């Protein structure tokens, strides 16, 4: 019963379509992984039927593992792009190939942990954990069995990186991880492997063995530091959006946001309030809060092309729309804030998930005011000329931003003496009009989630009202 309720309340996100050519490339890489992981089994001479059988088994095992990895990454990231899937399996292919060449010289820790860090940062912990288990599992040379203790340390370290990597919110924390993890691996190898050797081998060899452990850990630290240095390059090539990148973009000192606060202060204020509304609502439905906060910050940057054409920046001065008195041209100016926003986003190399907020926050909404003005003037009009070009919101986060954008002005204008039910009524009315217009059709927001969004907006309204209530001051104007 609970399962059925959950399914009806939380529809799945629409997965991104992967082209036939990309599918073929992905399939070929998987075949290559399987070949690399199993071909050594065919090099035995003379070949017996059981050898061929065990080769076929390893080959199929590797192929199925790669397929499972792709499935898990798609499940964790429903909107994953084909280039990101190619990245995940190419990293697996690279590790398999590196194992063949470097197996006797480099510790598996330095081969498996750095890619796990990249995957966990860009695509989440579950994908990274799956990647780690498959990369450790498909071993091209089963006869060169690695030390059980080392394998244990490898799994623990890689799992720590995968879990923490998905949560880390700043580059400084990444740096700390890249220093403390090798130190941890050094001591655990010393205790688990070094002591092993002390009882079995002479003292001189123990020193040598520890030298290896030390150099392995040092190599791990160096490779991890290089990986952190290269993560921004991976971000821009593969469109990965790490938490650290999101938070960097959300910095209000970024030149584009600074420009917005100086040249379009009204829009900046509107943006800040929307950030609060969208953040609260996204937290309520369990969405990506960091994504929506950053997306909200950039949603109206396009207004920078002509700030005084938007009411929030007019400050009681002349309205240029009244001066031109042409509803069709006014509608073009409104659409231009989306087109210009996309241009600013390209110029500032904003990642795709953030760029999506720019056209999707307006969807294909009707510019009601100018549409009615055109009707009043008996102009021959096409309704589509007074609608934004879209697309309608494709994710829950962009849909929340659209709803917050719609409610912001109404909530701001509301009287502070208004009751909660009055505020809720206005919020519900605005959201229902978007729903009726088909703007939420592709967002995957369920009825239950829309209910929670309304509640969240109401909570923010209560906060605004509380802030606007004048506190009584003492005679000498001091506060305690
Ligand atoms: Fe807008
Ligand atoms: Fe807006």
């Amino acid at each position: 019963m609970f399962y059925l309720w959950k399914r009806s309340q939380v529809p799945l996100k629409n997965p991104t379509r992967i082209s036939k050519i990309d599918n073929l490339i992905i399939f070929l890489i998987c075949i290559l992984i399987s070949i690399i992981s199993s071909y050594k089994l065919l090099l035995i001479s003379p070949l017996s039927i059981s050898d061929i059988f065990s080769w076929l088994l390893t080959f199929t095992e590797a192929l199925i593992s790669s397929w499972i990895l792709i499935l898990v990454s798609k499940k964790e990231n429903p909107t994953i792009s084909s280039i990101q899937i190619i990245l995940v399996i190419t990293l697996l292919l690279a590790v398999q190939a590196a194992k063949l060449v470097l197996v006797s010289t480099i510790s598996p820790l330095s081969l498996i942990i750095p890619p796990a860090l990249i995957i966990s940062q860009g695509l989440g912990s579950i994908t990274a954990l799956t990647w780690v288990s498959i990369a450790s599992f498909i071993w091209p040379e089963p006869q060169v069995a690695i030390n059980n203790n080392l394998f244990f340390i490898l799994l623990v370290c890689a799992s720590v990186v995968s879990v923490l990597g998905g949560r880390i919110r700043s580059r400084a924390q990444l740096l700390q991880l890249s220093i403390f993890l090798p130190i941890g691996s050094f001591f655990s190898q010393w205790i688990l492997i070094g002591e092993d050797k002390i009882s079995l081998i002479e003292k001189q060899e123990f020193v040598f063995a520890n030298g290896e452990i030390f150099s392995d850990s040092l190599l791990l630290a160096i490779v991890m530091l290089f990986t952190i240095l290269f993560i921004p390059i991976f971000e821009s090539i593969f469109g990965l959006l790490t938490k650290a990148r999101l938070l960097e973009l959300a910095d209000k000192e970024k030149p584009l946001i600074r420009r917005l606060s100086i040249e379009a202060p009204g829009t900046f204020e509107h943006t800040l309030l929307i950030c609060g509304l969208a953040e609260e609502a996204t937290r309520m439905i369990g969405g990506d809060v960091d994504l929506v906060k950053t997306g909200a910050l950039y949603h109206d940057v396009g207004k920078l092309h002509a700030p005084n054409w938007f009411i929030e920046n007019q400050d009681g001065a002349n309205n240029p729309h009244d001066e031109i008195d042409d509803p069709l041209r006014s509608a073009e100016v409104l659409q231009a804030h989306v087109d210009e926003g996309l241009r600013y986003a390209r110029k500032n190399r904003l990642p795709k998930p953030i760029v999506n907020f720019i056209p999707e926050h307006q969807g294909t909404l009707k510019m009601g005011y100018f549409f009615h003005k055109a009707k009043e003037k008996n102009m021959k009009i096409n309704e589509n000329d007074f609608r934004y070009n879209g697309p309608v919101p494709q994710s829950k986060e962009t849909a929340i931003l659209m709803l917050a954008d719609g409610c912001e002005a109404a909530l701001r204008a509301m009287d502070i003496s208004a009751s909660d039910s009055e505020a809720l009524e206005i919020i519900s009315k605005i959201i229902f009009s978007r729903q009726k217009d088909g703007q939420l059709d592709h967002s995957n927001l369920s009825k239950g989630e829309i209910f929670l969004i309304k509640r969240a907006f109401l909570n923010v309204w209560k906060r605004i009202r509380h802030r606007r209530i004048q506190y009584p001051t003492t005679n000498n104007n001091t506060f305690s």
Side-chain angles (χ1 to χ4, degrees), residues 220-480:
L220 177 63
I222 294 170
V223 177
M224 280 189 78
L225 283 173
F226 268 99
T227 310
I228 292 167
L229 270 179
F230 284 111
I231 280 180
I233 298 173
F234 277 96
E235 282 168 356
S236 71
I237 296 176
F238 297 99
L240 298 175
L241 192 54
T242 62
K243 288 264 176 219
R245 174 111 176 94
L246 260 184
L247 293 174
E248 272 170 18
L249 286 170
D251 181 5
K252 295 189 187 72
E253 289 303 310
K254 283 268 167 197
L256 199 56
I257 304 299
R258 281 292 295 153
R259 254 191 82 190
L260 194 69
S261 70
I262 294 164
E263 293 173 32
T267 304
F268 183 65
E269 275 305 310
H270 153 85
T271 300
L272 292 185
L273 186 51
I274 281 190
C275 278
L277 284 166
E279 183 186 345
E280 184 82 18
T282 311
R283 186 168 293 119
M284 200 82 127
I285 66 154
D288 191 336
V289 176
D290 292 318
L291 176 71
V292 89
K293 252 162 64 183
T294 315
L297 210 51
Y298 289 90
H299 83 286
D300 268 344
V301 281
K303 287 185 179 174
L304 273 174
H305 84 287
N308 59 329
W309 285 76
F310 297 90
I311 189 138
E312 66 265 26
N313 299 314
Q314 282 165 3
D315 215 11
N318 287 351
N319 186 345
H321 291 287
D322 293 339
E323 283 168 23
I324 58 165
D325 196 26
D326 180 354
L328 210 59
R329 265 204 62 200
S330 292
E332 280 168 12
V333 173
L334 256 60
Q335 172 61 40
H337 98 274
V338 172
D339 302 335
E340 289 296 313
L342 290 171
R343 203 173 60 81
Y344 282 120
R346 260 196 308 275
K347 227 171 124 188
N348 288 271
R349 301 177 65 85
L350 294 184
K352 180 93 174 49
I354 300 296
V355 178
N356 289 344
F357 282 88
I358 297 173
E360 288 177 27
H361 87 275
Q362 297 291 174
T364 53
L365 281 173
K366 192 155 74 179
M367 303 163 197
Y369 179 76
F370 294 114
F371 179 68
H372 287 296
K373 230 176 156 189
K375 262 179 140 179
E376 271 171 26
K377 292 178 96 178
N378 289 323
M379 288 168 71
K380 265 192 162 181
I381 46 162
N382 178 355
E383 197 187 299
N384 285 340
D385 293 336
F386 290 89
R387 277 190 182 272
Y388 285 98
N389 293 344
V392 295
Q394 304 291 310
S395 69
K396 294 181 182 187
E397 284 80 7
T398 53
I400 287 175
L401 189 75
M402 171 188 266
L403 300 179
D405 204 37
C407 293
E408 185 265 350
L411 288 180
R412 196 194 282 263
M414 217 181 309
D415 196 57
I416 50 165
S417 58
S419 68
D420 289 0
S421 58
E422 280 171 317
L424 190 62
E425 197 183 324
I426 288 187
I427 294 167
S428 303
K429 232 167 132 182
I430 294 169
I431 294 181
F432 182 65
S433 72
R434 305 282 189 273
Q435 238 177 321
K436 219 173 83 184
D437 199 23
Q439 301 296 323
L440 305 182
D441 288 359
H442 294 259
S443 68
N444 284 319
L445 280 175
S446 66
K447 280 182 184 162
E449 285 170 329
I450 291 175
F451 173 80
L452 290 174
I453 292 168
K454 287 179 195 168
R455 287 276 142 194
F457 287 175
L458 182 68
N459 288 345
V460 179
W461 148 247
K462 284 186 194 167
R463 268 199 326 247
I464 300 170
R465 184 176 56 189
H466 188 255
R467 218 181 294 150
R468 276 164 47 186
I469 292 171
Q470 295 267 310
Y471 287 106
T473 56
T474 55
N475 285 343
N476 55 2
N477 270 345
T478 53
F479 294 89
S480 57

Side-chain angles (χ1 to χ4, degrees), residues 12 143 145 156 178 192 204 216 224 241 265 269 276 279 307 341 368 391 403:
L12 298 169
Q143 63 270 40
V156 169
S178 74
L192 290 175
Q204 201 186 351
D216 274 354
M224 280 189 78
L241 192 54
E269 275 305 310
E279 183 186 345
L403 300 179

Side-chain angles (χ1 to χ4, degrees), residues 79 178 180:
T79 53
S178 74
F180 288 122

